[in-house]
């Protein structure tokens, strides 16, 4: 029975060197989101989109999990079966830090998907538009990423565990993209306690029962230490 549901965003990976999206210098200040993170952009220029995610995949492979990722893995080990991470991140830093109960609602940059038959597989480091699908052979491969306007993965499971939890924690997310940005309100309506751990107040900070601000590598381990009784 999941007791703690933890939503993470780009901010938890920032100190591992992976850029966020809307901070100063964030990805959406350097790339046009509509060109590289929408189905329309992929239809227009698949090579550009693969180039963008090839760079994301390389960066993610070279990144190292930080103390915040390690603290969440420690929490899961200390509370077997009671912790669920729902991440908006497409990197695998939670898994590489040791977390097992992780759902990637925006997909994973390390996986590929066939735009023709829907098959998914582990992506090579460099993907090209006409790479053949291993199942149907169609030259229609895309990154297994959920783009703007597409529906996230795991939503039914997420709503279920969120409403039955004791605590909902949001870490390193600006609260600017839905449906993740509405999780705190849904949790609160179900009587779940809510906590924001972020570098600075998010757009939804006022919806949380409690908020602590600072670098994730500091405030997440401190929160886990406190929760586990030192
Ligand atoms: P939305 O309206 O929920 O969110 C769009 C947000 O993106 C806005 O709040 C704004 O902050 C930002 N945004 C939009 N255009 C931008 C631009 N040109 N530059 C910088 N920021 C910009 O978006 P939506 O279309 O309803 O998409 C929500 C769905 O898409 C959800 O299912 C979500 O899971 C998915 N999604 C996936 C990704 C991804 O890259 N994996 C990105 C965003 C959303
Ligand atoms: N520690 C904690 N929080 C941090 C840190 C840090 N070291 N650095 C940045 N942050 C916070 C910022 O204050 C900001 O609130 O992380 C948040 C990053 O916000 P965004 O860049 O909007 O990233 P995110 O919330 O994950 O975006 C949601 O939008 O474009 C899509 O798919 C993309 O999953 C992403 C979604």
């Amino acid at each position: 029975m999941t007791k703690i549901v933890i939503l993470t965003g780009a901010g938890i990976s920032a100190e591992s060197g992976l850029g966020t999206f809307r901070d100063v210098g964030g990805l959406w200040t350097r790339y046009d989101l509509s060109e590289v993170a929408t189905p329309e952009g992929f239809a227009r220029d698949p090579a550009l989109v693969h180039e963008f995610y090839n760079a994301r995949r390389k960066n993610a492979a070279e990144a190292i999990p930080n103390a915040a990722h390690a603290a969440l893995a420690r929490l899961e080990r200390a509370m077997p079966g009671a912790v669920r991470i729902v991440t908006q991140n497409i990197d695998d830093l939670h898994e590489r830090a040791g977390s097992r109960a992780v759902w990637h609602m925006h997909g994973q940059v390390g996986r590929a998907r066939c735009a023709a038959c829907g098959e998914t597989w582990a992506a090579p480091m460099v993907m090209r538009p006409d790479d053949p699908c291993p199942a149907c052979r169609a030259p229609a491969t895309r990154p297994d990423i959920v783009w703007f306007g597409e529906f996230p993965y795991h939503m039914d499971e997420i709503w279920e565990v969120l409403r039955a939890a004791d605590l909902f924690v949001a870490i390193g997310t600006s609260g600017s993209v839905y449906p993740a940005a509405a999780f705190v309100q849904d949790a609160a309506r179900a009587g779940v306690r809510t906590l924001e751990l972020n570098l600075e107040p998010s757009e939804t900070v006022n919806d949380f029962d409690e908020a602590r601000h600072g670098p994730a590598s500091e405030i997440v381990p401190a929160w886990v230490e406190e929760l586990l009784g030192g």
Side-chain angles (χ1 to χ4, degrees), residues 27-78:
L27 279 168
W28 298 148
T29 63
R30 292 183 283 127
Y31 292 91
D32 180 344
L33 169 155
S34 62
E35 285 183 358
V36 294
T38 64
E40 297 76 14
F42 184 68
R44 258 195 314 276
D45 190 346
L48 173 68
V49 173
H50 275 302
E51 186 186 315
F52 176 75
Y53 285 100
N54 288 342
R56 306 280 71 73
R57 188 170 306 110
K58 181 173 182 296
N59 294 348
E62 291 167 353
I64 296 169
N66 64 57
H69 298 104
L72 297 188
R74 177 190 172 207
L75 180 64
E76 182 181 324
R77 285 193 301 276

Side-chain angles (χ1 to χ4, degrees), residues 9-228:
I12 200 171
S13 298
E15 290 164 271
S16 295
L18 295 181
T20 61
F21 292 90
R22 296 171 187 87
D23 289 321
V24 173
L27 279 168
W28 298 148
T29 63
R30 292 183 283 127
Y31 292 91
D32 180 344
L33 169 155
S34 62
E35 285 183 358
V36 294
T38 64
E40 297 76 14
F42 184 68
R44 258 195 314 276
D45 190 346
L48 173 68
V49 173
H50 275 302
E51 186 186 315
F52 176 75
Y53 285 100
N54 288 342
R56 306 280 71 73
R57 188 170 306 110
K58 181 173 182 296
N59 294 348
E62 291 167 353
I64 296 169
N66 64 57
H69 298 104
L72 297 188
R74 177 190 172 207
L75 180 64
E76 182 181 324
R77 285 193 301 276
M79 301 175 69
V83 177
R84 164 64 59 179
I85 292 175
V86 176
T87 187
Q88 299 171 96
N89 297 339
I90 58 177
D91 63 58
D92 62 349
L93 295 180
H94 283 303
E95 291 86 347
R96 285 165 52 201
S99 290
R100 291 287 166 269
V102 182
W103 286 326
H104 287 263
M105 63 182 288
H106 287 175
Q108 300 177 70
V109 77
R111 295 194 63 76
R113 187 189 330 155
C114 177
C117 75
E119 175 78 6
T120 65
W121 63 95
M125 192 54 77
V126 176
M127 287 180 67
R128 294 180 181 81
D130 53 3
D131 288 349
C133 163
C136 73
R137 310 306 300 166
T141 65
R142 58 170 279 179
D144 190 19
I145 299 286
V146 175
W147 287 321
F148 284 98
E150 295 181 324
F151 198 72
Y153 283 134
H154 302 292
M155 284 316 299
D156 291 343
E157 300 155 290
I158 292 170
W159 293 130
E160 187 181 342
V161 295
L162 186 63
R163 292 163 184 162
D166 294 330
L167 176 62
F168 169 68
V169 187
I171 302 174
T173 182
S174 60
S176 65
V177 174
Y178 289 81
F183 288 174
V184 56
Q185 290 160 354
D186 207 79
R189 267 197 298 275
V192 177
R193 272 184 308 118
T194 58
L195 168 65
E196 171 175 284
L197 300 176
N198 205 55
L199 186 64
E200 57 202 12
S202 74
E203 291 182 26
T204 54
V205 67
N206 296 328
D207 296 328
F208 285 85
D209 295 319
E210 183 190 355
R212 301 181 190 180
H213 298 125
S217 66
E218 293 172 19
I219 63 174
V220 175
W223 168 67
V224 169
E225 186 71 13
E226 182 188 300
L227 204 64
L228 296 183

